[in-house]
Structures are given as C-alpha cells and as structure tokens.
Amino acid sequence: MIDTHNSDDLKKIVDEVFELDLLRKTRQREYVDARRVFSHMLLKEGATLSGVGNYLGLNHATVHHYTKRFEWIIKSDLILKEKYELVLTRYKPNPTTPDVYFFSNKQLIEEVLRLREDLNGLNSQKACQCKN
C-alpha cells in the first residue's frame, strides 16, 4: 500500500530537483536515478515494493532492483547524492531548514539577480566613499 498524497508530494519534489517527469517511460540515466531516489524514500516510509511499482507503472522487481544497491550507489555518485540530499531536505524539512530550499528555479534566479544588483550598489557606494 502507498499513501498517494505523500507520493504526489514527493514526486513533485523529485521532478523539480531532477528537472524531469518521474513517470516518463525511459531508461535514461537521470530518470532511473530519480526513480531510485523516489523508491528508496517511499520504502523507508513503509511503502511496499508493489505499491511503489504500481505508482511508477513498474514491476515490483524493478523497484527492488532500484533500491537494493542504493546506499552503495549514493556513496559513489556525488551528483546523485547531492540531489538525494536536496530532495530529502525539501521533503522532510527540519525547523532550521532555510526557506531557499523551497524556491523554484525561477525564484532562485530572480533572487541571485537581485543580490547582484544589491552588491553592485554597495560596491558603488564604497567606491564613492573612498574618493571622498
């Protein structure tokens, strides 16, 4: 059995972090990695292999294959580990998690541009003060 509300929330986060559609039928590496992360997290919450497989449109054996070496793969693939940790932080935030973890890519770009403008303004002020 699988709680579809949690699954839908987690799917949305995985889709955003990996920048893809988790349910797309493909064997491309980034999609498989996203499904690995999704499956691993739901199984840790008590979902069944069949439940996760049904949600993803996969056989339970495929889900088992995704997760049986997950811990080893995550240690050797630093990019996947970084994405997994970001998904984990966004899915199960703690009270000290900064709100920037919940920004969309567009919001992050806008924030970076705003901060650059602020920095340029401060640098201009500093240059003017040095001249006086």
Side-chain angles (χ1 to χ4, degrees):
M1 189 80 168
I2 188 170
D3 180 355
T4 55
H5 179 69
N6 285 348
S7 304
D8 292 340
D9 291 343
L10 181 57
K11 179 197 176 298
K12 182 179 175 193
I13 293 168
V14 170
D15 285 352
E16 288 174 2
V17 169
F18 283 84
E19 297 178 350
L20 50 71
D21 178 11
L22 185 68
L23 299 179
R24 181 172 170 219
K25 299 290 183 202
T26 179
R27 290 183 178 179
Q28 292 177 351
R29 171 76 186 265
E30 59 270 11
Y31 287 84
V32 172
D33 285 344
R35 290 191 291 263
R36 278 185 206 281
V37 168
F38 179 84
S39 300
H40 175 77
M41 291 180 68
L42 284 181
L43 289 173
K44 286 190 88 127
E45 286 190 345
T48 64
L49 292 171
S50 296
V52 175
N54 289 338
Y55 186 88
L56 293 173
L58 301 170
N59 185 297
H60 75 281
T62 304
V63 175
H64 177 68
H65 177 72
Y66 283 163
T67 58
K68 71 180 177 182
R69 296 183 341 145
F70 182 81
E71 296 298 332
W72 180 84
I73 292 169
I74 211 77
K75 288 178 186 175
S76 62
D77 186 336
L78 298 178
I79 294 170
L80 180 58
K81 181 178 182 178
E82 183 179 299
K83 288 182 178 183
Y84 168 67
E85 289 172 351
L86 182 57
V87 169
L88 192 59
T89 301
R90 291 182 64 187
Y91 185 61
K92 297 228 178 221
N94 62 44
T96 60
T97 301
D99 63 344
V100 295
Y101 282 97
F102 305 102
F103 285 8
S104 68
N105 286 341
K106 182 181 177 190
Q107 289 173 310
L108 287 172
I109 291 168
E110 290 170 353
E111 184 70 9
V112 167
L113 293 174
R114 186 190 63 74
L115 289 170
R116 284 181 180 169
E117 286 177 13
D118 290 351
L119 183 60
N120 288 337
L122 290 171
N123 285 336
S124 296
Q125 287 177 355
K126 185 177 178 181
C128 289
Q129 289 174 351
C130 291
K131 289 180 183 177
N132 292 335

